[in-house]
Amino acid sequence: TLVTASTLDKEIKGSFDGKDKKAQAFAVGELLAKKALAKNITTIVFDRGGYLYTGRVMNLADGARKGGLQF
C-alpha cells in the first residue's frame, strides 16, 4: 500500500456535516488523488473488490479522476 485515504483523515474529517455518503466518497477520492500525486503516482489500477461499479464506489473513482489520477 503506497497511499491511503478515508473519511477519518484530518484534512477532510470536519467537512462532512450534512453530506451524504456518496459526496463523502467523492471527497475521499479527491484526497486519495492528492496524496498519490504528491508521491509522483499518476496512474493506478482500481480494484473495486467485487462491489458493483455504482454508488459510492463510482463516486470514489470519479473523485480520484477529478483529482488527476488516471485509471
Side-chain angles (χ1 to χ4, degrees):
T1 304
L2 301 174
V3 179
T4 63
S6 79
T7 57
L8 300 176
D9 283 333
K10 55 185 156 178
E11 293 97 345
I12 59 174
K13 187 175 183 180
S15 65
F16 295 131
D17 295 337
K19 290 187 178 180
D20 64 347
K21 290 187 179 189
K22 289 181 182 180
Q24 292 177 18
F26 190 86
V28 170
E30 288 181 318
L31 178 62
L32 185 68
K34 178 182 171 185
K35 288 182 173 184
L37 292 174
K39 292 191 175 195
N40 294 323
I41 299 170
T42 58
T43 305
I44 63 168
V45 175
F46 187 68
D47 180 10
R48 54 190 171 77
Y51 293 99
L52 295 176
Y53 189 76
T54 60
R56 287 183 261 169
V57 173
M58 183 178 67
N59 283 310
L60 178 82
D62 289 344
R65 279 192 191 99
K66 184 181 177 212
L69 291 180
Q70 297 176 357
F71 288 66

Short mmCIF file of all heavy atoms in Angstrom, two decimals:
data_model
loop_
_atom_site.label_atom_id
_atom_site.label_comp_id
_atom_site.label_asym_id
_atom_site.label_seq_id
_atom_site.Cartn_x
_atom_site.Cartn_y
_atom_site.Cartn_z
N THR A 1 0.84 -1.17 0.00
CA THR A 1 0.00 0.00 0.00
C THR A 1 0.89 1.23 0.00
O THR A 1 1.69 1.42 0.90
CB THR A 1 -0.91 0.01 1.23
OG1 THR A 1 -1.67 -1.19 1.27
CG2 THR A 1 -1.85 1.21 1.19
N LEU A 2 0.72 2.07 -0.99
CA LEU A 2 1.53 3.27 -1.10
C LEU A 2 0.83 4.52 -0.58
O LEU A 2 1.47 5.43 -0.07
CB LEU A 2 1.93 3.48 -2.57
CG LEU A 2 2.72 2.34 -3.20
CD1 LEU A 2 2.91 2.60 -4.68
CD2 LEU A 2 4.05 2.16 -2.51
N VAL A 3 -0.50 4.56 -0.73
CA VAL A 3 -1.28 5.73 -0.31
C VAL A 3 -2.63 5.25 0.21
O VAL A 3 -3.23 4.35 -0.36
CB VAL A 3 -1.51 6.68 -1.50
CG1 VAL A 3 -2.33 7.88 -1.09
CG2 VAL A 3 -0.20 7.14 -2.11
N THR A 4 -3.08 5.87 1.29
CA THR A 4 -4.42 5.57 1.80
C THR A 4 -5.17 6.87 2.08
O THR A 4 -4.55 7.91 2.30
CB THR A 4 -4.36 4.76 3.12
OG1 THR A 4 -3.73 5.54 4.12
CG2 THR A 4 -3.65 3.44 2.93
N ALA A 5 -6.49 6.77 2.09
CA ALA A 5 -7.34 7.91 2.44
C ALA A 5 -8.65 7.37 2.97
O ALA A 5 -9.13 6.32 2.53
CB ALA A 5 -7.58 8.79 1.22
N SER A 6 -9.23 8.10 3.90
CA SER A 6 -10.53 7.73 4.44
C SER A 6 -11.24 8.97 4.96
O SER A 6 -10.66 10.06 5.00
CB SER A 6 -10.39 6.69 5.56
OG SER A 6 -10.01 7.31 6.77
N THR A 7 -12.47 8.80 5.39
CA THR A 7 -13.22 9.93 5.94
C THR A 7 -12.68 10.36 7.29
O THR A 7 -13.06 11.41 7.79
CB THR A 7 -14.71 9.56 6.09
OG1 THR A 7 -14.82 8.40 6.92
CG2 THR A 7 -15.36 9.33 4.75
N LEU A 8 -11.80 9.57 7.88
CA LEU A 8 -11.23 9.89 9.18
C LEU A 8 -9.95 10.72 9.09
O LEU A 8 -9.42 11.13 10.12
CB LEU A 8 -10.96 8.61 9.97
CG LEU A 8 -12.19 7.74 10.23
CD1 LEU A 8 -11.78 6.46 10.95
CD2 LEU A 8 -13.22 8.50 11.03
N ASP A 9 -9.44 10.95 7.88
CA ASP A 9 -8.25 11.78 7.71
C ASP A 9 -8.53 13.20 8.17
O ASP A 9 -9.58 13.77 7.87
CB ASP A 9 -7.79 11.80 6.25
CG ASP A 9 -7.07 10.54 5.84
OD1 ASP A 9 -6.47 9.89 6.71
OD2 ASP A 9 -7.10 10.21 4.64
N LYS A 10 -7.58 13.78 8.89
CA LYS A 10 -7.83 15.10 9.48
C LYS A 10 -7.98 16.21 8.45
O LYS A 10 -8.57 17.23 8.74
CB LYS A 10 -6.76 15.44 10.50
CG LYS A 10 -5.34 15.38 10.03
CD LYS A 10 -4.39 15.64 11.18
CE LYS A 10 -3.04 15.02 10.88
NZ LYS A 10 -2.09 15.27 11.93
N GLU A 11 -7.49 16.00 7.21
CA GLU A 11 -7.65 17.03 6.18
C GLU A 11 -9.11 17.25 5.78
O GLU A 11 -9.49 18.34 5.39
CB GLU A 11 -6.86 16.66 4.91
CG GLU A 11 -5.36 16.66 5.09
CD GLU A 11 -4.82 15.27 5.36
OE1 GLU A 11 -5.62 14.36 5.68
OE2 GLU A 11 -3.61 15.09 5.26
N ILE A 12 -9.92 16.19 5.87
CA ILE A 12 -11.31 16.29 5.41
C ILE A 12 -12.35 15.89 6.45
O ILE A 12 -13.54 15.97 6.20
CB ILE A 12 -11.53 15.45 4.13
CG1 ILE A 12 -11.22 13.98 4.37
CG2 ILE A 12 -10.75 16.01 2.98
CD1 ILE A 12 -11.55 13.08 3.21
N LYS A 13 -11.92 15.50 7.63
CA LYS A 13 -12.83 14.94 8.63
C LYS A 13 -13.99 15.87 9.00
O LYS A 13 -15.13 15.45 9.07
CB LYS A 13 -12.06 14.56 9.89
CG LYS A 13 -12.91 13.83 10.91
CD LYS A 13 -12.09 13.38 12.09
CE LYS A 13 -12.95 12.59 13.05
NZ LYS A 13 -12.21 12.13 14.19
N GLY A 14 -13.74 17.13 9.20
CA GLY A 14 -14.78 18.04 9.64
C GLY A 14 -15.66 18.60 8.54
O GLY A 14 -16.58 19.35 8.79
N SER A 15 -15.42 18.23 7.29
CA SER A 15 -16.14 18.83 6.17
C SER A 15 -17.34 18.01 5.71
O SER A 15 -17.87 18.27 4.63
CB SER A 15 -15.19 19.04 5.00
OG SER A 15 -14.73 17.80 4.52
N PHE A 16 -17.79 17.05 6.49
CA PHE A 16 -18.85 16.16 6.04
C PHE A 16 -20.22 16.44 6.65
O PHE A 16 -21.15 15.70 6.43
CB PHE A 16 -18.50 14.70 6.32
CG PHE A 16 -17.32 14.22 5.54
CD1 PHE A 16 -16.30 13.56 6.15
CD2 PHE A 16 -17.25 14.43 4.18
CE1 PHE A 16 -15.21 13.11 5.43
CE2 PHE A 16 -16.17 14.00 3.44
CZ PHE A 16 -15.14 13.34 4.08
N ASP A 17 -20.36 17.50 7.40
CA ASP A 17 -21.65 17.80 8.02
C ASP A 17 -22.72 18.03 6.95
O ASP A 17 -22.59 18.91 6.10
CB ASP A 17 -21.53 19.04 8.91
CG ASP A 17 -20.61 18.80 10.10
OD1 ASP A 17 -20.43 17.63 10.47
OD2 ASP A 17 -20.08 19.78 10.63
N GLY A 18 -23.76 17.21 6.98
CA GLY A 18 -24.87 17.36 6.05
C GLY A 18 -24.64 16.72 4.68
O GLY A 18 -25.51 16.80 3.82
N LYS A 19 -23.50 16.08 4.46
CA LYS A 19 -23.24 15.44 3.17
C LYS A 19 -23.62 13.97 3.23
O LYS A 19 -23.43 13.31 4.25
CB LYS A 19 -21.77 15.56 2.79
CG LYS A 19 -21.35 16.97 2.43
CD LYS A 19 -19.94 16.98 1.91
CE LYS A 19 -19.53 18.38 1.50
NZ LYS A 19 -18.16 18.42 0.98
N ASP A 20 -24.14 13.46 2.12
CA ASP A 20 -24.47 12.05 2.06
C ASP A 20 -23.20 11.23 1.83
O ASP A 20 -22.12 11.77 1.60
CB ASP A 20 -25.52 11.77 0.98
CG ASP A 20 -25.03 12.08 -0.42
OD1 ASP A 20 -23.99 12.74 -0.56
OD2 ASP A 20 -25.71 11.68 -1.37
N LYS A 21 -23.33 9.92 1.88
CA LYS A 21 -22.16 9.05 1.78
C LYS A 21 -21.53 9.08 0.39
O LYS A 21 -20.33 8.87 0.26
CB LYS A 21 -22.53 7.63 2.18
CG LYS A 21 -22.81 7.54 3.66
CD LYS A 21 -23.02 6.13 4.11
CE LYS A 21 -23.26 6.12 5.62
NZ LYS A 21 -23.26 4.78 6.16
N LYS A 22 -22.31 9.37 -0.63
CA LYS A 22 -21.73 9.48 -1.98
C LYS A 22 -20.83 10.70 -2.09
O LYS A 22 -19.76 10.63 -2.68
CB LYS A 22 -22.84 9.54 -3.03
CG LYS A 22 -23.56 8.22 -3.21
CD LYS A 22 -24.61 8.34 -4.28
CE LYS A 22 -25.39 7.05 -4.43
NZ LYS A 22 -26.42 7.16 -5.46
N ALA A 23 -21.24 11.81 -1.50
CA ALA A 23 -20.41 13.02 -1.51
C ALA A 23 -19.15 12.80 -0.68
O ALA A 23 -18.07 13.29 -1.04
CB ALA A 23 -21.21 14.20 -0.97
N GLN A 24 -19.26 12.05 0.40
CA GLN A 24 -18.09 11.74 1.21
C GLN A 24 -17.10 10.88 0.42
O GLN A 24 -15.90 11.11 0.48
CB GLN A 24 -18.51 11.01 2.48
CG GLN A 24 -19.29 11.87 3.44
CD GLN A 24 -19.77 11.10 4.65
OE1 GLN A 24 -19.26 10.01 4.96
NE2 GLN A 24 -20.74 11.64 5.36
N ALA A 25 -17.61 9.89 -0.33
CA ALA A 25 -16.75 9.03 -1.14
C ALA A 25 -16.03 9.85 -2.20
O ALA A 25 -14.85 9.62 -2.48
CB ALA A 25 -17.57 7.92 -1.78
N PHE A 26 -16.72 10.82 -2.80
CA PHE A 26 -16.11 11.67 -3.81
C PHE A 26 -14.96 12.47 -3.20
O PHE A 26 -13.87 12.56 -3.78
CB PHE A 26 -17.16 12.61 -4.42
CG PHE A 26 -16.68 13.37 -5.62
CD1 PHE A 26 -16.75 12.80 -6.87
CD2 PHE A 26 -16.16 14.64 -5.48
CE1 PHE A 26 -16.31 13.49 -7.99
CE2 PHE A 26 -15.71 15.34 -6.59
CZ PHE A 26 -15.79 14.76 -7.85
N ALA A 27 -15.16 13.01 -2.00
CA ALA A 27 -14.13 13.79 -1.32
C ALA A 27 -12.92 12.91 -0.96
O ALA A 27 -11.78 13.34 -1.07
CB ALA A 27 -14.70 14.45 -0.07
N VAL A 28 -13.18 11.68 -0.56
CA VAL A 28 -12.09 10.74 -0.25
C VAL A 28 -11.31 10.43 -1.52
O VAL A 28 -10.07 10.35 -1.50
CB VAL A 28 -12.63 9.46 0.41
CG1 VAL A 28 -11.55 8.40 0.51
CG2 VAL A 28 -13.18 9.77 1.79
N GLY A 29 -11.99 10.29 -2.64
CA GLY A 29 -11.30 10.06 -3.91
C GLY A 29 -10.40 11.22 -4.29
O GLY A 29 -9.27 11.02 -4.74
N GLU A 30 -10.87 12.43 -4.08
CA GLU A 30 -10.04 13.61 -4.36
C GLU A 30 -8.82 13.66 -3.45
O GLU A 30 -7.71 13.97 -3.89
CB GLU A 30 -10.86 14.89 -4.20
CG GLU A 30 -11.86 15.10 -5.31
CD GLU A 30 -12.64 16.39 -5.13
OE1 GLU A 30 -13.05 16.70 -3.98
OE2 GLU A 30 -12.84 17.08 -6.14
N LEU A 31 -9.01 13.33 -2.16
CA LEU A 31 -7.89 13.31 -1.23
C LEU A 31 -6.89 12.23 -1.60
O LEU A 31 -5.68 12.44 -1.54
CB LEU A 31 -8.40 13.09 0.20
CG LEU A 31 -7.31 13.01 1.28
CD1 LEU A 31 -6.53 14.31 1.37
CD2 LEU A 31 -7.93 12.67 2.63
N LEU A 32 -7.39 11.08 -2.01
CA LEU A 32 -6.52 10.00 -2.43
C LEU A 32 -5.66 10.43 -3.62
O LEU A 32 -4.46 10.16 -3.67
CB LEU A 32 -7.35 8.76 -2.80
CG LEU A 32 -6.58 7.51 -3.16
CD1 LEU A 32 -5.86 6.97 -1.95
CD2 LEU A 32 -7.53 6.46 -3.71
N ALA A 33 -6.27 11.12 -4.57
CA ALA A 33 -5.53 11.61 -5.73
C ALA A 33 -4.46 12.61 -5.31
O ALA A 33 -3.33 12.58 -5.81
CB ALA A 33 -6.49 12.24 -6.74
N LYS A 34 -4.81 13.49 -4.40
CA LYS A 34 -3.86 14.50 -3.92
C LYS A 34 -2.64 13.83 -3.28
O LYS A 34 -1.49 14.20 -3.55
CB LYS A 34 -4.55 15.41 -2.91
CG LYS A 34 -3.69 16.47 -2.31
CD LYS A 34 -4.48 17.28 -1.29
CE LYS A 34 -3.58 18.21 -0.50
NZ LYS A 34 -4.31 18.90 0.56
N LYS A 35 -2.88 12.82 -2.45
CA LYS A 35 -1.79 12.12 -1.78
C LYS A 35 -0.95 11.32 -2.78
O LYS A 35 0.28 11.27 -2.67
CB LYS A 35 -2.34 11.18 -0.71
CG LYS A 35 -2.86 11.89 0.51
CD LYS A 35 -3.34 10.89 1.54
CE LYS A 35 -3.73 11.53 2.84
NZ LYS A 35 -4.10 10.53 3.86
N ALA A 36 -1.60 10.71 -3.76
CA ALA A 36 -0.88 9.93 -4.76
C ALA A 36 -0.01 10.84 -5.63
O ALA A 36 1.15 10.51 -5.92
CB ALA A 36 -1.85 9.14 -5.63
N LEU A 37 -0.56 11.95 -6.05
CA LEU A 37 0.21 12.87 -6.89
C LEU A 37 1.39 13.46 -6.14
O LEU A 37 2.44 13.74 -6.73
CB LEU A 37 -0.70 13.97 -7.43
CG LEU A 37 -1.75 13.51 -8.45
CD1 LEU A 37 -2.69 14.66 -8.80
CD2 LEU A 37 -1.10 12.95 -9.69
N ALA A 38 1.27 13.62 -4.83
CA ALA A 38 2.38 14.11 -4.01
C ALA A 38 3.54 13.12 -4.00
O ALA A 38 4.70 13.51 -3.81
CB ALA A 38 1.92 14.39 -2.59
N LYS A 39 3.25 11.85 -4.24
CA LYS A 39 4.28 10.82 -4.31
C LYS A 39 4.62 10.44 -5.74
O LYS A 39 5.19 9.39 -6.00
CB LYS A 39 3.83 9.57 -3.54
CG LYS A 39 3.74 9.81 -2.06
CD LYS A 39 3.56 8.52 -1.31
CE LYS A 39 3.59 8.82 0.18
NZ LYS A 39 3.78 7.59 0.93
N ASN A 40 4.25 11.31 -6.69
CA ASN A 40 4.51 11.11 -8.12
C ASN A 40 3.85 9.85 -8.69
O ASN A 40 4.37 9.22 -9.59
CB ASN A 40 6.01 11.09 -8.41
CG ASN A 40 6.64 12.43 -8.15
OD1 ASN A 40 6.04 13.47 -8.41
ND2 ASN A 40 7.84 12.43 -7.61
N ILE A 41 2.70 9.49 -8.16
CA ILE A 41 1.90 8.39 -8.68
C ILE A 41 0.78 9.01 -9.51
O ILE A 41 -0.04 9.76 -8.98
CB ILE A 41 1.32 7.53 -7.55
CG1 ILE A 41 2.44 6.93 -6.71
CG2 ILE A 41 0.42 6.44 -8.12
CD1 ILE A 41 1.97 6.28 -5.42
N THR A 42 0.75 8.72 -10.81
CA THR A 42 -0.26 9.32 -11.67
C THR A 42 -1.21 8.30 -12.27
O THR A 42 -2.32 8.64 -12.65
CB THR A 42 0.39 10.10 -12.82
OG1 THR A 42 1.23 9.23 -13.57
CG2 THR A 42 1.21 11.27 -12.28
N THR A 43 -0.79 7.05 -12.36
CA THR A 43 -1.62 6.00 -12.95
C THR A 43 -1.84 4.92 -11.92
O THR A 43 -0.90 4.46 -11.28
CB THR A 43 -0.92 5.41 -14.20
OG1 THR A 43 -0.62 6.46 -15.11
CG2 THR A 43 -1.81 4.40 -14.88
N ILE A 44 -3.12 4.50 -11.77
CA ILE A 44 -3.44 3.49 -10.77
C ILE A 44 -4.32 2.40 -11.38
O ILE A 44 -4.87 2.58 -12.47
CB ILE A 44 -4.16 4.10 -9.56
CG1 ILE A 44 -5.51 4.70 -9.97
CG2 ILE A 44 -3.30 5.14 -8.88
CD1 ILE A 44 -6.41 5.05 -8.81
N VAL A 45 -4.47 1.32 -10.67
CA VAL A 45 -5.42 0.26 -11.01
C VAL A 45 -6.48 0.28 -9.92
O VAL A 45 -6.16 0.24 -8.73
CB VAL A 45 -4.72 -1.11 -11.06
CG1 VAL A 45 -5.73 -2.21 -11.30
CG2 VAL A 45 -3.66 -1.12 -12.14
N PHE A 46 -7.72 0.35 -10.32
CA PHE A 46 -8.83 0.45 -9.36
C PHE A 46 -9.45 -0.93 -9.19
O PHE A 46 -10.09 -1.45 -10.09
CB PHE A 46 -9.86 1.47 -9.87
CG PHE A 46 -10.95 1.76 -8.89
CD1 PHE A 46 -10.68 2.43 -7.71
CD2 PHE A 46 -12.25 1.38 -9.14
CE1 PHE A 46 -11.70 2.71 -6.80
CE2 PHE A 46 -13.26 1.66 -8.25
CZ PHE A 46 -12.98 2.32 -7.08
N ASP A 47 -9.26 -1.53 -8.01
CA ASP A 47 -9.85 -2.82 -7.70
C ASP A 47 -11.06 -2.57 -6.81
O ASP A 47 -10.93 -2.17 -5.66
CB ASP A 47 -8.83 -3.70 -6.98
CG ASP A 47 -9.39 -5.07 -6.62
OD1 ASP A 47 -10.49 -5.41 -7.09
OD2 ASP A 47 -8.71 -5.78 -5.87
N ARG A 48 -12.23 -2.79 -7.35
CA ARG A 48 -13.45 -2.48 -6.61
C ARG A 48 -13.83 -3.58 -5.64
O ARG A 48 -14.84 -3.51 -4.95
CB ARG A 48 -14.59 -2.19 -7.57
CG ARG A 48 -14.83 -3.25 -8.58
CD ARG A 48 -15.80 -2.80 -9.66
NE ARG A 48 -15.85 -3.76 -10.73
CZ ARG A 48 -16.49 -4.91 -10.68
NH1 ARG A 48 -17.15 -5.24 -9.61
NH2 ARG A 48 -16.47 -5.73 -11.70
N GLY A 49 -13.03 -4.62 -5.54
CA GLY A 49 -13.22 -5.64 -4.52
C GLY A 49 -14.52 -6.42 -4.65
O GLY A 49 -15.10 -6.80 -3.64
N GLY A 50 -15.01 -6.62 -5.85
CA GLY A 50 -16.23 -7.38 -6.04
C GLY A 50 -17.50 -6.55 -5.95
O GLY A 50 -18.59 -7.05 -6.20
N TYR A 51 -17.37 -5.28 -5.57
CA TYR A 51 -18.55 -4.42 -5.49
C TYR A 51 -18.92 -3.93 -6.88
O TYR A 51 -18.06 -3.75 -7.74
CB TYR A 51 -18.29 -3.22 -4.57
CG TYR A 51 -18.11 -3.61 -3.13
CD1 TYR A 51 -16.84 -3.74 -2.58
CD2 TYR A 51 -19.20 -3.86 -2.32
CE1 TYR A 51 -16.66 -4.09 -1.26
CE2 TYR A 51 -19.04 -4.22 -0.99
CZ TYR A 51 -17.76 -4.34 -0.47
OH TYR A 51 -17.61 -4.71 0.83
N LEU A 52 -20.20 -3.72 -7.10
CA LEU A 52 -20.66 -3.16 -8.37
C LEU A 52 -20.12 -1.75 -8.54
O LEU A 52 -19.92 -1.02 -7.56
CB LEU A 52 -22.18 -3.14 -8.43
CG LEU A 52 -22.88 -4.50 -8.44
CD1 LEU A 52 -24.39 -4.30 -8.39
CD2 LEU A 52 -22.49 -5.28 -9.67
N TYR A 53 -19.91 -1.35 -9.79
CA TYR A 53 -19.38 -0.02 -10.08
C TYR A 53 -20.54 0.97 -10.13
O TYR A 53 -20.90 1.50 -11.17
CB TYR A 53 -18.60 -0.03 -11.39
CG TYR A 53 -17.85 1.24 -11.64
CD1 TYR A 53 -16.67 1.50 -10.96
CD2 TYR A 53 -18.31 2.18 -12.53
CE1 TYR A 53 -15.97 2.67 -11.17
CE2 TYR A 53 -17.62 3.35 -12.75
CZ TYR A 53 -16.46 3.59 -12.07
OH TYR A 53 -15.77 4.76 -12.28
N THR A 54 -21.15 1.20 -8.99
CA THR A 54 -22.24 2.16 -8.84
C THR A 54 -22.11 2.83 -7.48
O THR A 54 -21.29 2.42 -6.66
CB THR A 54 -23.63 1.49 -8.93
OG1 THR A 54 -23.74 0.52 -7.87
CG2 THR A 54 -23.86 0.81 -10.25
N GLY A 55 -22.89 3.84 -7.24
CA GLY A 55 -22.96 4.46 -5.92
C GLY A 55 -21.65 4.99 -5.42
O GLY A 55 -20.95 5.74 -6.09
N ARG A 56 -21.30 4.61 -4.19
CA ARG A 56 -20.10 5.13 -3.54
C ARG A 56 -18.82 4.71 -4.23
O ARG A 56 -17.86 5.48 -4.27
CB ARG A 56 -20.07 4.71 -2.08
CG ARG A 56 -21.08 5.47 -1.25
CD ARG A 56 -20.97 5.09 0.19
NE ARG A 56 -22.02 4.11 0.48
CZ ARG A 56 -22.10 3.42 1.58
NH1 ARG A 56 -21.18 3.54 2.51
NH2 ARG A 56 -23.08 2.58 1.77
N VAL A 57 -18.78 3.50 -4.76
CA VAL A 57 -17.59 3.03 -5.46
C VAL A 57 -17.33 3.91 -6.68
O VAL A 57 -16.20 4.35 -6.93
CB VAL A 57 -17.74 1.55 -5.87
CG1 VAL A 57 -16.58 1.10 -6.73
CG2 VAL A 57 -17.87 0.67 -4.64
N MET A 58 -18.37 4.21 -7.43
CA MET A 58 -18.25 5.05 -8.61
C MET A 58 -17.85 6.48 -8.21
O MET A 58 -17.01 7.10 -8.86
CB MET A 58 -19.56 5.07 -9.39
CG MET A 58 -19.49 5.88 -10.67
SD MET A 58 -21.02 5.84 -11.62
CE MET A 58 -22.13 6.71 -10.54
N ASN A 59 -18.43 7.00 -7.15
CA ASN A 59 -18.11 8.35 -6.71
C ASN A 59 -16.67 8.46 -6.21
O ASN A 59 -16.02 9.48 -6.44
CB ASN A 59 -19.08 8.82 -5.62
CG ASN A 59 -20.40 9.22 -6.20
OD1 ASN A 59 -20.45 9.99 -7.14
ND2 ASN A 59 -21.48 8.70 -5.66
N LEU A 60 -16.17 7.44 -5.55
CA LEU A 60 -14.77 7.43 -5.14
C LEU A 60 -13.86 7.50 -6.37
O LEU A 60 -12.92 8.30 -6.42
CB LEU A 60 -14.46 6.19 -4.31
CG LEU A 60 -13.01 6.08 -3.87
CD1 LEU A 60 -12.78 6.92 -2.63
CD2 LEU A 60 -12.64 4.64 -3.60
N ALA A 61 -14.14 6.69 -7.37
CA ALA A 61 -13.34 6.70 -8.59
C ALA A 61 -13.46 8.03 -9.32
O ALA A 61 -12.45 8.56 -9.82
CB ALA A 61 -13.79 5.56 -9.51
N ASP A 62 -14.64 8.59 -9.39
CA ASP A 62 -14.83 9.89 -10.05
C ASP A 62 -14.05 10.99 -9.34
O ASP A 62 -13.46 11.86 -9.98
CB ASP A 62 -16.31 10.25 -10.13
CG ASP A 62 -17.08 9.40 -11.13
OD1 ASP A 62 -16.43 8.74 -11.98
OD2 ASP A 62 -18.32 9.38 -11.05
N GLY A 63 -14.02 10.95 -8.02
CA GLY A 63 -13.25 11.93 -7.26
C GLY A 63 -11.76 11.79 -7.51
O GLY A 63 -11.05 12.79 -7.65
N ALA A 64 -11.29 10.56 -7.61
CA ALA A 64 -9.87 10.33 -7.90
C ALA A 64 -9.52 10.81 -9.31
O ALA A 64 -8.46 11.39 -9.54
CB ALA A 64 -9.53 8.85 -7.74
N ARG A 65 -10.42 10.57 -10.26
CA ARG A 65 -10.19 11.06 -11.62
C ARG A 65 -10.15 12.58 -11.66
O ARG A 65 -9.31 13.18 -12.32
CB ARG A 65 -11.27 10.55 -12.56
CG ARG A 65 -11.05 9.15 -13.04
CD ARG A 65 -11.99 8.80 -14.18
NE ARG A 65 -11.92 7.38 -14.44
CZ ARG A 65 -12.78 6.49 -14.00
NH1 ARG A 65 -13.83 6.85 -13.29
NH2 ARG A 65 -12.62 5.22 -14.27
N LYS A 66 -11.08 13.21 -10.96
CA LYS A 66 -11.12 14.67 -10.92
C LYS A 66 -9.85 15.22 -10.29
O LYS A 66 -9.37 16.27 -10.68
CB LYS A 66 -12.34 15.16 -10.16
CG LYS A 66 -12.46 16.67 -10.17
CD LYS A 66 -13.64 17.17 -9.40
CE LYS A 66 -13.63 18.70 -9.42
NZ LYS A 66 -14.17 19.26 -8.22
N GLY A 67 -9.32 14.48 -9.34
CA GLY A 67 -8.09 14.90 -8.68
C GLY A 67 -6.85 14.73 -9.53
O GLY A 67 -5.78 15.20 -9.16
N GLY A 68 -6.97 14.05 -10.67
CA GLY A 68 -5.84 13.95 -11.60
C GLY A 68 -5.27 12.56 -11.81
O GLY A 68 -4.30 12.41 -12.54
N LEU A 69 -5.86 11.54 -11.20
CA LEU A 69 -5.34 10.18 -11.41
C LEU A 69 -5.91 9.58 -12.68
O LEU A 69 -7.04 9.87 -13.07
CB LEU A 69 -5.70 9.28 -10.22
CG LEU A 69 -4.99 9.59 -8.91
CD1 LEU A 69 -5.45 8.62 -7.83
CD2 LEU A 69 -3.50 9.52 -9.07
N GLN A 70 -5.14 8.72 -13.31
CA GLN A 70 -5.58 8.00 -14.49
C GLN A 70 -5.71 6.53 -14.14
O GLN A 70 -4.88 5.96 -13.47
CB GLN A 70 -4.57 8.16 -15.63
CG GLN A 70 -4.42 9.57 -16.10
CD GLN A 70 -3.34 9.71 -17.16
OE1 GLN A 70 -2.66 8.75 -17.50
NE2 GLN A 70 -3.19 10.89 -17.67
N PHE A 71 -6.81 5.91 -14.63
CA PHE A 71 -7.07 4.51 -14.35
C PHE A 71 -6.68 3.68 -15.55
O PHE A 71 -6.87 4.02 -16.66
CB PHE A 71 -8.56 4.29 -14.07
CG PHE A 71 -9.00 4.85 -12.75
CD1 PHE A 71 -9.00 6.20 -12.51
CD2 PHE A 71 -9.42 4.01 -11.75
CE1 PHE A 71 -9.41 6.72 -11.31
CE2 PHE A 71 -9.84 4.52 -10.53
CZ PHE A 71 -9.83 5.87 -10.30
#
